[in-house]
Amino acid sequence: MKKIIFISAFLLIGIFQADAQMLKFGVKVGANFNSLDGDDATGLDTYTSFHFGALLEVKVFENFAIQPELLYSSQGAKVNEENIKDINFSYITVPVLAKFYLITDKLSLEAGPQFSFLVNESVPDQFESKSFDFAAVGGLGFNFTDNIFAQARYVAGLTDTTKDAEIKNRVIQVSVGYRF
């Protein structure tokens, strides 16, 4: 009986240890360098803002993982005209990225879709914002240690941000984070 308990305990520890290596929860924060692109985006400059949130890395194979994230992201553009405020869209974003490790557990190529839900806006009165934004994401990640990482991404909006103008989000994101 003691052998069965010992073997069962040993197997359970092995399973939990394997799960810990397969699933990694993390948090991240970083800067956004935003612009709006399209026919109606004249007179707009880069707008610097921020993002923060949580992620879960699910290791599928040795050099491949899926990484869904839940982020708050401030995006928009700086307006070059007097008496007109800058454009700001605050989103809850959900990127779902495929991570291909180019160097095992160090350098990764990341790509996938991003689903963004508008939670707040600051736009000129003549515009009516859309409540959903869909984008394609691509970038690189680097793990300095098992816990500390950095990422750089380009987010290309595929849908218009407003109902009244053909403009799309363009964002360069630089992040640092901690994985548990």
Side-chain angles (χ1 to χ4, degrees), residues 28 55 57 59 63 65 67 69 97-111 137-154 173-177 179:
K28 64 188 264 184
L55 59 94
E57 182 176 330
K59 199 94 170 224
N63 288 326
Q67 182 170 297
E69 300 178 358
L97 305 174
K99 292 181 71 169
F100 302 94
Y101 279 95
L102 304 173
I103 300 173
T104 303
D105 292 330
K106 282 292 181 193
L107 179 66
S108 62
L109 177 65
E110 305 170 351
V137 178
L140 294 172
F142 186 79
N143 297 330
F144 293 102
T145 68
D146 286 342
N147 304 102
I148 298 170
F149 65 91
Q151 296 171 323
R153 294 184 181 156
Y154 182 71
Q173 291 182 328
V174 179
S175 312
V176 293
R179 208 175 281 116

Side-chain angles (χ1 to χ4, degrees), residues 13 20 119 163:
I13 290 171
V119 292
K163 296 177 182 178

Side-chain angles (χ1 to χ4, degrees), residues 117-132:
F117 305 92
L118 187 67
V119 292
N120 196 8
E121 64 182 340
S122 174
V123 297
D125 294 333
Q126 70 265 27
F127 295 113
E128 184 181 349
S129 302
K130 291 185 178 178
S131 60
F132 179 76

Side-chain angles (χ1 to χ4, degrees), residues 73 75 88-93 115-123 128-133 161 169:
S73 183
Q75 300 174 17
N88 184 292
F89 302 105
S90 297
Y91 292 107
I92 297 296
T93 64
F115 310 93
S116 300
F117 305 92
L118 187 67
V119 292
N120 196 8
E121 64 182 340
S122 174
V123 297
E128 184 181 349
S129 302
K130 291 185 178 178
S131 60
F132 179 76
D133 186 51
T161 59
N169 280 309

